[in-house]
Amino acid sequence: STQSTGSLYFIVSSAMSAAPEVVPQTDKAPEGRGFGRGRGARGGRGGRGGRGGAQEEKEWIPCTKLGRLVKDKKIDSLEQIFLFSMPIKEYQIVDAFISEEVLKDEMLCVQQVQKSTSAGQRTRFKAFQMVGDHNGHIGIGVRVGKELAVAIKASLISAKLNIVPIRRGYWGNKIGVPHTCLLYTSPSPRDS
């Protein structure tokens, strides 16, 4: 059996030397070799976006019926949405009515929150953000993320989704147009 194995080795090695394999020259390293993470060609993962760099703004494709109506200019203002108590599920709806120059955002607070796990503690960031247009619309958003930038961006989107009209009135003398925000507070439960 050792003689047959030796002759088989000779046949295979001579066949390989007779027809050398042509390897195309590419800039990419061959997949499945080396010590890298090898995240390519696994299907369904989606791109990670890379680090830094300018990210081009994609055109908004509405997912909801309200979004399609706003994009087709069938709805003129946020007041029409609030009049029929329609939920805003896409932040681009708010961007369509209130431009980025008019909409002001304010970071209220950023906190570190921790969760104890078997491997130690997991730290995440909780961001509180407020947006408003100085014309009767205000929204508050709270989100948590593993990274600070992710939490801030998510809280801004959440604040845009939670935008509501505020009812303005007077404080003191009734001079000019209504300019004061009416705020009703209810007493908190005992021992809180």
Side-chain angles (χ1 to χ4, degrees):
S1 70
T2 56
Q3 187 179 14
S4 64
T5 308
S7 62
L8 180 65
Y9 173 74
F10 175 75
I11 293 171
V12 171
S13 63
S14 64
M16 291 178 79
S17 64
E21 185 179 331
V22 178
V23 179
Q25 297 294 325
T26 62
D27 294 338
K28 295 171 67 175
E31 292 184 33
R33 296 182 177 94
F35 299 104
R37 290 177 64 180
R39 292 270 178 155
R42 284 171 104 172
R45 282 195 176 263
R48 291 204 170 219
R51 294 187 180 195
Q55 294 182 359
E56 63 278 352
E57 195 67 31
K58 294 182 182 177
E59 183 184 353
W60 172 42
I61 300 171
C63 299
T64 60
K65 186 171 183 178
L66 179 62
R68 287 189 288 273
L69 290 172
V70 168
K71 189 167 183 182
D72 294 339
K73 306 267 192 278
K74 302 263 167 100
I75 296 179
D76 301 328
S77 65
L78 280 173
E79 277 68 34
Q80 289 182 345
I81 297 172
F82 297 137
L83 182 66
F84 295 104
S85 301
M86 299 167 127
I88 299 174
K89 300 285 188 183
E90 300 173 85
Y91 72 94
Q92 292 94 342
I93 294 172
V94 176
D95 290 340
F97 293 121
I98 305 172
S99 66
E100 290 290 329
E101 295 82 30
V102 176
L103 192 68
K104 304 292 182 204
D105 59 290
E106 176 101 15
M107 179 61 64
L108 300 177
C109 177
V110 175
Q111 297 176 342
Q112 282 188 355
V113 291
Q114 290 183 334
K115 174 184 177 182
S116 294
T117 61
S118 60
Q121 291 179 335
R122 185 182 71 180
T123 303
R124 298 196 306 175
F125 296 96
K126 189 174 192 178
F128 297 82
Q129 200 155 6
M130 179 180 269
V131 297
D133 64 348
H134 296 280
N135 195 19
H137 301 103
I138 196 168
I140 298 174
V142 181
R143 278 290 182 265
V144 178
K146 289 181 184 176
E147 298 175 10
L148 183 61
V150 173
I152 290 172
K153 187 173 181 179
S155 67
L156 177 65
I157 291 172
S158 174
K160 287 181 181 180
L161 293 177
N162 293 331
I163 203 162
V164 293
I166 56 172
R167 190 171 149 222
R168 290 179 285 188
Y170 296 99
W171 180 263
N173 296 333
K174 293 187 177 182
I175 301 171
V177 296
H179 56 277
T180 307
C181 175
L182 300 174
L183 182 65
Y184 297 105
T185 59
S186 61
S188 62
R190 290 179 62 182
D191 301 331
S192 63

